[in-house]
């Protein structure tokens, strides 16, 4: 009978971290503020960071190992230095449940929520790195491996492959701690070599792996999906393209978005570019109370993402008022425009 992988965890010896940089913590997350440039070319696309739904069932499996910091004196790390976090099947994990991601967007939103959470909690660098690793790993369960590494000033060699991102690629994002940038990878397998000092405040990782010094060879977990996580598509509804003078709908046939904000942003960018940046663009959730007074309309389309229907207008000039929810998951625009103080009314000018 095959033996299940042994869960293990570890952080190396503690080194005194380098002095904090003068820059304040600044996590790059999408905000909900509409950007405007009076009288010039501007682009804005509205944000949503809801954690994905909990899984309907939990698959039994071995738990992942977690580790980080300097390697032990033995050539292969075999024992934990502190207890591994054990996922509770009765409670959804921070990233949509233990191995319970329903789609790529849920994973992205969930990891952003974890990063945002620990970005605002006062703690030292080692605790920050460990917290990111532990909570993301708990959410991943036995599906993917995770690596957190200081890519700001630590050398490394990375050969990680496979993952939840489109094209079966690793998912990659960043977090910052007092000016130091940490890169987070979520992936299936591969090799990572830490060529830096190996301090516990510079790296931490979790999953299924073999360790030889600072060379970590990762393998797939017992519940690693075969391909990437499914993504929701922005689908242009064919019955809405009758007024599409420029054939813009043809440019929106292959949009795959991680969330509503991403869908809005991609539509705005695609339409503005396809029209040669000669016309203004507005994308708005049609369930909101949208008032449009537009001249020189070139195209009007309806795009569906999950259960949300977005109107897409391409036009010369006019006024658009959003009387509903004003954030980057509900509307976006590009072109030449001014925005009212309350952020609800945009006045567009000919380009």
């Amino acid at each position: 009978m095959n033996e299940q992988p042994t869960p293990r965890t570890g952080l190396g010896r503690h080194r005194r971290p380098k002095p904090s940089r003068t820059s304040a913590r600044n996590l790059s997350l999408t905000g909900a503020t509409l950007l405007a440039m009076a009288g010039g070319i501007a682009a804005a696309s509205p944000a949503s960071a809801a954690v994905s739904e909990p899984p309907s069932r939990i698959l039994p499996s071995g738990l992942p190992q977690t580790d980080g910091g300097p390697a032990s004196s033995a050539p292969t790390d075999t024992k934990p230095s502190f207890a591994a976090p054990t996922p509770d099947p009765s409670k959804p994990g921070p990233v949509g449940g233990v191995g319970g991601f329903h789609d790529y967007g849920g994973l992205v939103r969930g990891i952003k929520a974890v990063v945002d959470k620990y970005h605002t909690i006062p703690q030292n660098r080692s605790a920050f790195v460990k917290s990111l690793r532990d909570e993301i790993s708990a959410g991943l369960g036995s599906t993917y491996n995770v690596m957190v590494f200081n890519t700001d000033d630590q050398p490394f060699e990375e050969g990680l492959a496979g993952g939840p991102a489109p094209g079966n690629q690793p998912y990659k994002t960043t977090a910052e701690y007092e000016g130091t940038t940490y890169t987070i990878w979520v992936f299936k397998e591969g090799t990572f070599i830490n060529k830096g000092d190996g301090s516990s405040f510079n790296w931490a990782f979790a999953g299924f792996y073999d360790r030889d010094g600072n060379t970590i060879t990762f393998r797939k977990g017992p519940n690693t999906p075969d391909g990437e996580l499914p993504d929701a598509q922005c689908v242009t509804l064919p019955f809405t393209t009758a007024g599409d003078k420029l054939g813009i709908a043809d440019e929106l046939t292959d949009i795959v978005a991680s969330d509503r904000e991403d869908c809005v942003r991609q539509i705005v960018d695609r339409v503005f570019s396809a029209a040669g940046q000669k016309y203004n663009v507005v994308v708005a959730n049609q369930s909101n109370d949208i008032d449009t007074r537009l001249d020189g309309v070139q195209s009007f389309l309806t795009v569906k993402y999950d259960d949300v229907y977005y109107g897409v207008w391409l036009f010369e000039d006019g006024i658009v008022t959003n009387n509903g929810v004003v954030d980057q998951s509900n509307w976006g625009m590009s072109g030449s425009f001014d925005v009212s103080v309350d952020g609800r009314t945009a006045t567009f000018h000919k380009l």
Side-chain angles (χ1 to χ4, degrees):
M1 181 173 63
N2 293 332
E3 185 177 357
Q4 287 283 3
T6 303
R8 46 196 177 103
T9 177
L11 282 175
R13 66 182 183 276
H14 178 72
R15 296 192 185 188
R16 185 180 299 276
K18 65 183 180 182
S20 301
R21 302 188 180 188
T22 56
S23 59
R25 297 184 188 181
N26 179 25
L27 178 65
S28 297
L29 296 177
T30 304
T33 303
L34 182 65
L35 306 178
M37 294 176 60
I41 301 297
S45 55
S48 170
V51 177
S52 61
E53 297 177 359
S56 57
R57 63 190 179 96
I58 303 298
L59 299 176
S61 66
L63 298 177
Q65 311 147 246
T66 61
D67 207 341
S72 62
S73 57
T76 301
D77 183 22
T78 57
K79 295 183 180 180
S81 61
F82 62 83
T86 303
D88 183 353
S90 68
K91 299 178 181 179
V95 196
V98 180
F101 307 115
H102 296 297
D103 55 43
Y104 179 57
L107 181 146
V108 171
R109 291 191 298 273
I111 291 180
K112 282 185 177 180
V114 173
V115 171
D116 193 26
K117 170 183 174 181
Y118 287 106
H119 176 71
T120 58
I121 296 177
Q123 55 186 332
N124 62 39
R125 285 176 60 190
S126 292
F128 173 76
V129 175
K130 174 181 175 293
S131 296
L132 290 178
R133 179 205 61 191
D134 287 352
E135 193 154 346
I136 293 174
S137 176
L140 292 168
S142 55
T143 54
Y144 298 103
N145 300 295
V146 59
M147 170 66 71
V148 182
F149 192 83
N150 172 6
T151 51
D152 204 27
D153 55 24
Q154 294 294 299
F156 67 96
E157 184 177 322
E158 174 262 307
L160 306 177
N168 193 28
Q169 296 298 310
Y171 170 70
K172 184 177 178 181
T173 189
T174 59
E176 290 195 9
Y177 182 92
E178 295 184 349
T180 298
T181 299
Y182 289 85
T183 298
I184 302 167
W185 289 268
V186 174
F187 56 97
K188 292 182 179 179
E189 58 191 337
T191 301
F192 191 98
I193 303 174
N194 183 347
K195 296 184 175 181
D197 61 25
S199 297
S200 62
F201 53 80
N202 280 323
W203 74 327
F205 49 91
F208 298 87
Y209 60 86
D210 297 306
R211 178 171 183 172
D212 184 2
N214 281 344
T215 298
I216 316 300
T217 302
F218 292 92
R219 58 187 180 275
K220 294 180 181 179
N223 292 323
T224 300
D226 291 334
E228 71 268 23
L229 288 177
D231 238 342
Q233 284 189 293
C234 298
V235 180
T236 303
L237 302 182
F239 61 82
T240 67
T241 61
D244 185 15
K245 298 178 183 178
L246 301 181
I248 299 300
D250 293 339
E251 302 297 325
L252 305 178
T253 58
D254 61 346
I255 292 181
V256 177
S258 58
D259 53 29
R260 288 170 55 188
E261 175 190 340
D262 186 33
C263 177
V264 171
R265 179 172 55 249
Q266 289 196 56
I267 295 172
V268 169
D269 291 345
R270 290 278 191 99
V271 173
F272 192 58
S273 177
Q277 302 184 5
K278 296 178 180 179
Y279 300 97
N280 296 294
V281 179
V282 168
V283 177
N285 183 345
Q286 292 182 328
S287 67
N288 287 338
D289 183 7
I290 305 295
D291 178 30
T292 61
R293 288 169 285 171
L294 306 176
D295 293 320
V297 175
Q298 303 299 306
S299 295
F300 173 73
L301 310 170
T302 297
V303 175
K304 182 176 182 291
Y305 180 81
D306 283 344
D307 294 326
V308 180
Y309 293 85
Y310 291 97
V312 182
W313 291 266
L314 183 68
F315 56 96
E316 292 182 350
D317 56 4
I319 299 174
V320 179
T321 301
N322 183 351
N323 296 302
V325 179
V326 181
D327 65 22
Q328 294 178 332
S329 65
N330 280 287
W331 77 328
M333 60 194 70
S334 187
S336 175
F337 58 88
D338 304 301
V339 178
S340 61
V341 175
D342 62 6
R344 294 188 176 278
T345 300
T347 302
F348 292 85
H349 318 286
K350 288 184 178 181
L351 293 172

